[in-house]
Amino acid sequence: MSLLAIQIPPRVRPPARAAGDAVPATEFDYVLSANGRAVTGTGRATPSRMPKADSVVAVLSDADVAWHLVTMPKSPASRVRAALAGILEDALLDDDEVLHLALPPRYGAGQAVWVAVVNKPWLSATLAMLEGSGLVVER
C-alpha cells in the first residue's frame, strides 16, 4: 500500500490578520513510499502535481499543534468536546469555536490522555485545498 506524507508548512501569522484568516500554503514538501515502509521519492509540489498514493497523511508543524495532558471527564460522548473545552479553558489562547481538538482513538473516562489543539479555520482551509486537488487526507 503506497503512502504519501505531506508536510504542512507552519501557519503564517501576520499581525494585521485575525487568527483564523491565515492563508494556507500553495506548495508542500512530500515523501512518497511505494510500500508504506521505505522512501521511494521526495519533492515539493502543488497538490495537483503530487504523486498519487493509496493513503495520504498530513504532517503538521510542531508550531501549529498545542498538546495538553488532561484527565478525560466522565461525560457522554456527545458532551466530551464541551467538557474538554471547560477543562482547557484557561490553557487555550483562542476561543473554543476556532479550535480543533483531537483525541487518541481509544480513551476512557478518568484516563490521562494527550489532546492536540489546532486552529480549525486554518486546518479546514488547508485540507479543503488538498481535497480540492484530489488528495483525500486520511490522517
Side-chain angles (χ1 to χ4, degrees):
M1 174 185 244
S2 60
L3 174 74
L4 178 65
I6 302 170
Q7 174 66 55
I8 308 299
R11 182 168 59 113
V12 178
R13 296 173 176 87
R17 298 190 99 127
D21 292 343
V23 177
T26 56
E27 284 193 340
F28 303 88
D29 293 324
Y30 67 85
V31 174
L32 179 66
S33 173
N35 62 7
R37 294 187 177 148
V39 174
T40 55
T42 64
R44 180 172 184 82
T46 61
S48 61
R49 297 186 52 97
M50 286 197 182
K52 301 300 178 209
D54 298 323
S55 181
V56 179
V57 176
V59 180
L60 300 180
S61 167
D62 59 353
D64 291 319
V65 182
W67 291 95
H68 300 276
L69 182 62
V70 301
T71 300
M72 286 303 294
K74 295 178 182 171
S75 42
S78 62
R79 301 278 304 141
V80 167
R81 178 161 173 67
L84 283 174
I87 292 170
L88 294 171
E89 183 176 12
D90 292 337
L92 302 176
L93 299 176
D94 285 325
D95 291 333
D96 172 54
E97 299 82 37
V98 298
L99 298 175
H100 173 72
L101 307 178
L103 292 166
R106 290 178 282 290
Y107 58 86
Q111 190 178 41
V113 298
W114 285 98
V115 178
V117 181
V118 180
N119 178 276
K120 188 186 282 186
W122 168 79
L123 180 62
S124 295
T126 302
L127 293 176
M129 180 203 318
L130 292 172
E131 290 178 1
S133 297
L135 295 170
V136 179
V137 176
E138 295 174 2
R139 298 179 275 154

